[in-house]
Amino acid sequence: MDVLGFCTQTRSMEYMTPKPVYDNIVLIGFMGSGKTSVGKALKRQLYKKFVDVDTIIEAEENASVSDIFQNKGEEYFRSLEQKCIHHLMQSTGQIISTGGGLPIYSSLSKKSLIVYINADFDVILNRLPTKERDKRPLLQNESKARALFEQRKHVYEELADFSVDANQSIPTFIHVIVDFVLDQRVL
Ligand code: S3P
């Protein structure tokens, strides 16, 4: 009798809390497009864990991304990204912010909702304070960075399940993403 009662209760609770559609939310987009700000806002609104791949790498290597690029090279950094995202994909219920090159060099799980923070190159440059530009080795030469942007944007577009116009003010487009995620009950 007790056992039966327990089972019935578990079943009805399962019914009331449907399984989330996606394992994780992954934020992609060019350097400085606002992935971290979006991630932090989603964390506050969804009460989920927020992780930033660059921050994890910096903590594990005890070095900044710039120093890793300078001392160990880009290839080494890409291998760290690959390991880190692979590890994160083993867990669920997270909001994951990726570096701009991660989706170019690493594959992302199809079980994640991939959100593209889609801002124009000039909007990004105007928005980023010098201090933030200085942290990004691949943003030091403007014409090379612009060419990189042109190459990468098609990859971001193809990967994205949801693309948000991030040329609007940051609070506005964060609101659009939060509404979408809450509406779809993705996590
Ligand atoms: C990179 C983007 C950076 C960081 C590294 C390389 C890239 O992250 O991972 O400097 O290749 O686009 P953000 O996108 O957070 O700036």
Side-chain angles (χ1 to χ4, degrees), residues 48-64:
K48 296 286 176 189
K49 189 175 171 192
F50 167 66
V51 288
D52 179 294
V53 173
D54 281 348
T55 307
I56 295 174
I57 291 176
E58 288 182 325
E60 300 229 329
E61 292 288 297
N62 198 19
S64 68

Side-chain angles (χ1 to χ4, degrees), residues 29-181:
F30 201 67
M31 292 171 263
S33 53
K35 291 163 289 184
T36 304
S37 308
V38 171
K40 287 181 178 166
L42 285 176
K43 170 196 160 113
R44 282 195 300 272
Q45 307 252 357
L46 302 176
Y47 302 101
K48 296 286 176 189
K49 189 175 171 192
F50 167 66
V51 288
D52 179 294
V53 173
D54 281 348
T55 307
I56 295 174
I57 291 176
E58 288 182 325
E60 300 229 329
E61 292 288 297
N62 198 19
S64 68
V65 169
S66 266
D67 287 344
I68 300 171
F69 264 70
Q70 201 177 337
N71 299 328
K72 301 206 170 156
E74 181 172 350
E75 214 175 302
Y76 177 75
F77 175 76
R78 297 303 172 196
S79 73
L80 296 177
E81 276 188 322
Q82 228 164 49
K83 276 187 217 147
C84 185
I85 195 73
H86 179 77
H87 178 75
L88 290 173
M89 293 292 180
Q90 311 306 309
S91 303
T92 59
Q94 314 159 98
I95 298 142
I96 304 172
S97 176
T98 61
L102 188 142
I104 315 294
Y105 296 94
S106 302
S107 50
L108 296 172
S109 164
K110 299 256 184 300
K111 289 192 205 157
S112 293
L113 175 80
I114 301 178
V115 177
Y116 172 28
I117 314 300
N118 185 358
D120 293 344
F121 186 75
D122 291 312
V123 170
I124 291 173
L125 276 199
N126 288 331
R127 219 184 248 160
L128 265 190
T130 316
K131 196 175 125 232
E132 287 300 315
R133 276 200 215 187
D134 290 347
K135 286 185 194 166
R136 294 168 167 88
L138 300 179
L139 214 48
Q140 299 312 303
N141 178 317
E142 193 177 316
S143 61
K144 281 191 184 166
R146 193 180 289 274
L148 201 60
F149 176 86
E150 291 304 324
Q151 284 167 22
R152 287 180 175 180
K153 68 179 184 189
H154 309 289
V155 182
Y156 299 143
E157 276 160 13
E158 270 181 30
L159 286 171
D161 297 304
F162 179 62
S163 170
V164 65
D165 176 2
N167 296 316
Q168 313 167 75
S169 78
I170 294 180
T172 307
F173 73 76
I174 285 179
H175 201 72
V176 173
I177 301 171
V178 170
D179 277 359
F180 175 81
V181 167

Side-chain angles (χ1 to χ4, degrees), residues 11-22 48 184-187:
R11 274 171 168 271
S12 65
M13 280 170 72
E14 270 172 9
Y15 176 74
M16 288 170 69
T17 324
K19 194 174 176 295
V21 181
Y22 293 97
K48 296 286 176 189
Q184 309 280 316
R185 294 174 187 273
V186 291
L187 209 62

